[in-house]
Every structure is written in structure tokens, then in C-alpha cells.
Amino acid sequence: MSFVVGVAALALVTALACALPGVFLLLRRDAMTVEAVSHAVLPGIVVGLIVAGSLDSPILILAAALTGLLVVLGAEYLQGTGLLEGDAPLGLVFPALFSIGIILVSQRFSNVHLDEHVVLVGDLNLAAFIHLEVAGVSLGPRYLYVMLAVLLLNVGFIARFYKELKITTFDPTLAELLGFRVRRLHYAFMFLVSVTITAAFYAAGSILTVALMIVPAATAHLVTKRLSHMLAWTVVIAAVGALAGFGVAYALDAATSGAMALMLGLVFSAVFGFQRAQALWQTRGRRREGRADAPVIAPAHDVAREVGTANAVNATEPASHAAR
Amino acid sequence: MITPIGCEAVCEARCLSVSYRDALVLHEVDFSVPPGVIMAIVGPNGAGKSTLLKALLGLLPPVAGQVEFFGRPFREVRQRIGYVPQHASVDWDFPTTVYDVVLMGTYGALGWFRRPGREQRAASWEALERTGLTHLADRQIGELSGGERQRAFLARALVQDADLYFLDEPLQGVDALSKHAILAVMRDLRQSGKTLVMVHHDPSTVRQLCDWVALLNRGIVASGPVEHTFSEENVRRTYAHMPTAEWFGQVA
């Protein structure tokens, strides 16, 4: 596999691996949690790097993913105390962990190669640099296989727990009443998100990973009314954004991760703009026709009379009501 | 508390106390539902009606007290209990159709991993039919009117095929057609021996709609068959400081 094809493949697989869990994150209104987790994994990555020595080690990914889960748990704990509202618990926890990570990075431990620039935006070319070779034949970037494994993990989890993810996202109360372990599934899912973010970190950096996770799902949400369709569209949009972004970056010799995020943003803007224009057009048309969709609301009394029950004692209703 | 002789209560709460943070909302509630009735829980705003429902179903942890359904704890009989929430409680933009929402009612019986099959799909279509929503099955849930949404949630409870249904203000803010449809289904359920407990916002219709009533204001004021319990005296005690006479009209 040539270097260019390797980078393109890595871009595609990274975008897909991020976009799939993004669907549920968006629907659970957890978009900001991605931001928090993506920053909080940093100390885990640095410590993992010191221990394991390379960015594609499974030990590193696991260690960092656990640090990411700390944000979720810590924020939920703070939220549970009732002393802080909204995003504040997240805002308290992740900068603390991120700052530890930054201090560790700036200490430049021996043989740790990670600079602040990579932390923020990643470097796809660097991630794709080392190729996997078997008997002298290049099988593409080694990191491609790490991302492929994460992608398969995400696909497997969503396929296996599709029904459970759907019901706990749409109506957690019902899910709980029906006997589903809502919190347990939530933590399992957030761990998976944390793993995905950590793995994507090398290729896309902590900020652009958020774009890869949220933008395709947000775009797909605009155009679909079924969860299964939303997942399918998310995959399509992520793939288009990744490959277009790679193409632009290649032509302009620019940063691939940045171009990918930009392309995804453009796709979203285009779909959004088109929908707004369409909606505007429709309301105008309707106004011209002078249609009114006012619902008919009758007082509770009438229906109660009409339907009646064994206990309908109230027999002296005005005749006008009974006539309905 | 009066329960028909020879009938075991389908839901029984003893000494149930619930608080939100520091404020005690329900104080030592004794509550019992006989089988085969439509029961209303009525009381003024802030009386703790929805709180009582949530505490019964274990959605709010009680400070003290015990709840049993069919003589057992909730987790052992959860499949036999249906719940229709108050309508503002889900994300209406969620990408799901009305049919899909109804199908979710079957998830509980399926448990983890198993997927809905032919039987579940048939049950969902039947529930849509009963609530008059068949023609809207393919709509996104948020495109429905308030009354239609309420019917969709009723249909979702129907596919669960429960024996006891809890409904949180099912008639609040719904159109006449939906009200008619919801009440028809409720009476149907009672006819087939099911029990329904609804939080009800309108005391003036209790006599027409229900045969059992619990008057609630932070605690149970009175509970029993409507003809005895829903007296002007009891209602006045429940709705202190409110003009109640008009709810009785010529009946009182």
C-alpha cells in the first residue's frame, strides 16, 4: 500500500470509528462530554506513553480511556450533589485532568515524543508513517489496524445493543421501568467513547476528534426521522467528509485533520442552509394559500359525557352538550 | 381503607414518605388499589400526585415505606405494570417513528439482546389500531399533536399487555378526539379486568370517568369508591382554600 493510500485509508477509518458513537452522543445531548473526555485522556496518554513507549500500544489506549471515564464519573458525582448545575461539573473536572497532562508533556520525559501541537490537532501523516510489513510487503500504516479494531468494536457494540441504546436514549424512564440497567449501559458506552477518542487522538488531536464525532451525526439528524437511517447517513457523511478533506489537504499540502473537520462543517452548513431555505419557502407558500391548522379542542366535560362510565351520575347536562 | 371483600389489592403502599432534597413531599401515605377499577388520584397543584406515581414505580427512592404490586416487590412483576408518562418527558426530535415508539413497549418482555419479531410487530400494529393511530404510524414522533402523542404513549403501554396501568394526566391538554379514544381504551381495559390508576387534573369529571378515587394533598385525605369518598366534605378538605362547590353542581 502506498503512503498516500495509507493516509487516506486511515483518515476514512478514523472518521467512521468516531462518527458511529457520535450518533448516540448527540441524541443523549452528550456532545460536550466528548470535549471533556478528549481533554481528560491526556494524562493517561502521557503516563501510558512512559510505560508502553508507543502511541499505538493497547495498554496506552486502555489507560487513557480509563482517565477519560474519570471525567464522566467525576462530573456525574458532582452533579449528584446538587450543588452544581448544567455543564459546570464537566467544566470543573476536565481542565484539572488536562492540566496534569500538559504539565507531564512539558516535562519532556526521556524518550517521550509528544508535543503540545500534536495534542491539539493530531498529525495524520505522522500516525500513518510506520507501515506494517509482512514478508517485505507493506500492508498499510500500522495505526490503520488500531483504528480498524476500534471501528469494529464500535460496530459490534452498537449492533449488539442497538435496541438497548435506542430505548435508554429516547426514554430512560421507560427503559428503567422495563428492567434495563440504564446506568450500566451508559458507563459501558462512555468507556467505548473514551477508547475511540483516545485512539483517534493521534490522528486527529483532541479538538478535531470532537468534530469527527459530532458533526456527521448532527448533519444526519437534520435529514432523517429514523434511527437506523440516521446511522446510515452518518456513515455516508463521515466518509465523504474524510475523503474530501484528505483530497483538499493533499492538493493544498495542508493539515489533513483540519481539512476533514472543515469539509464536515461545510457539508453540515450546506444541508442546514438548504433545509432553512426549504422551510422558509414552504411557510410562504402556506401563507399565500391562507391555510390554518388550528386544532379543535373541546372542554373535558363533553367527552366525559359522551363516553360515560358506570359512575356517570351527572345526568342533568345541558341538552346542547348531549346533542354532540 | 376500603377494598372490596375477597379481592387482594393490586397495588399497596404502606407508610410511604418521599422527599425532594430537603423538602418532604409525601408524608406517610397509605395507598391501595383494588383490582378492576379506574382510579383517579386527585389533589391540588403541588399535592404530590406525580411524585406518588413515581415513588410507587421506584423512579424516586422513598425515604421510608413499602410498596407491593400483586403482593410482590416491583422488580418481580415489572412486566405486569404499564406506565404512561406525562407528555413532556421525552426528546420529541428523536429520530423515531410512531410505530417504533410503540414497538419499544415490547422491549421489556424481550429483555437484553433479543430483538422484536413478528409477534411484537403484530402487537404494535394492533395497539396503533386500538388508539386510532394506524394512519400516523410512519410519522416522526414529534410531528404528532399533543393528543396523538398521548395516544402513542398509551399504545406503547398497551403492547406491554400489563395488568395494571399508571397514567400521569393522560387527558391534560389533549384534543376532543384523542380524549375520546383514550377514554374508550381505558374503559376497554377495565372491561377485560385490568386496573387503571390515573393522576387526574380535573375534579369535576371524576364522577363520570372513575369508580375509585384517592384524594391527595401531601398525604392521603381519603380513598375509596367514588360514590362514598368523593364527597363535598372530603373534596373541600383536600382543596382547602379553593372554591369547590361548582364541581358538584346539582349532584351535591
Side-chain angles (χ1 to χ4, degrees), chain B residues 14-36:
Chain B
R14 281 183 295 275
C15 254
L16 193 66
S17 295
V18 186
S19 68
Y20 275 123
R21 302 253 149 80
D22 297 331
L24 196 63
V25 181
L26 291 176
H27 183 59
E28 295 188 352
V29 169
D30 285 312
F31 180 78
S32 135
V33 185

Side-chain angles (χ1 to χ4, degrees), chain A residues 15-204:
Chain A
L16 293 179
C18 287
L20 281 174
V23 169
F24 292 99
L25 285 165
L26 184 87
L27 293 173
R28 286 162 175 253
R29 324 220 147 168
D30 271 337
M32 283 319 287
T33 310
V34 180
E35 173 80 16
V37 170
S38 73
H39 283 75
V41 294
L42 187 61
I45 288 175
V46 180
V47 171
L49 205 50
I50 295 165
V51 176
S54 101
L55 267 175
D56 50 12
S57 140
I59 299 171
L60 179 145
I61 290 178
L62 222 60
L66 286 172
T67 344
L69 208 57
L70 270 184
V71 170
V72 177
L73 293 170
E76 272 173 21
Y77 167 76
L78 287 177
Q79 192 113 48
T81 62
L83 298 171
L84 296 152
E85 303 268 325
D87 287 352
L90 274 180
L92 276 167
V93 181
F94 87 80
L97 286 164
F98 188 64
S99 59
I100 295 172
I102 286 291
I103 291 171
L104 287 175
V105 171
S106 68
Q107 286 298 305
R108 303 198 184 283
F109 291 94
S110 58
N111 77 10
V112 172
H113 304 290
L114 189 69
D115 60 39
E116 290 88 341
H117 169 76
V118 174
V119 168
L120 289 179
V121 298
D123 193 331
L124 204 67
N125 296 335
L126 201 63
F129 200 70
I130 303 169
H131 273 228
L132 186 70
E133 278 185 33
V134 174
V137 181
S138 165
L139 296 174
R142 218 168 72 180
Y143 207 69
L144 176 63
Y145 293 92
V146 176
M147 282 321 295
L148 215 50
V150 172
L151 174 61
L152 288 177
L153 196 65
N154 282 341
V155 170
F157 186 87
I158 290 172
R160 198 86 186 89
F161 294 104
Y162 181 73
K163 166 174 126 266
E164 289 75 12
L165 281 168
K166 185 174 178 180
I167 192 171
T168 57
T169 305
F170 176 63
D171 193 344
T173 306
L174 177 74
E176 204 171 315
L177 286 176
L178 293 179
F180 292 101
R181 303 296 183 91
V182 178
R183 298 190 73 77
R184 219 173 276 186
L185 185 69
H186 174 67
Y187 292 133
F189 177 66
M190 288 316 289
F191 182 69
L192 198 68
V193 167
S194 203
V195 166
T196 309
I197 290 172
T198 311
F201 186 92
Y202 194 9

Side-chain angles (χ1 to χ4, degrees), chain A residues 159 163 225-227 309 311, chain B residues 111 115 138 207-208 211:
Chain A
K163 166 174 126 266
K225 59 173 186 178
R226 279 165 202 251
L227 187 55
T309 70
N311 288 294
Chain B
R115 288 175 191 215
D138 207 32
R207 283 181 179 274
Q208 291 108 306
D211 34 26

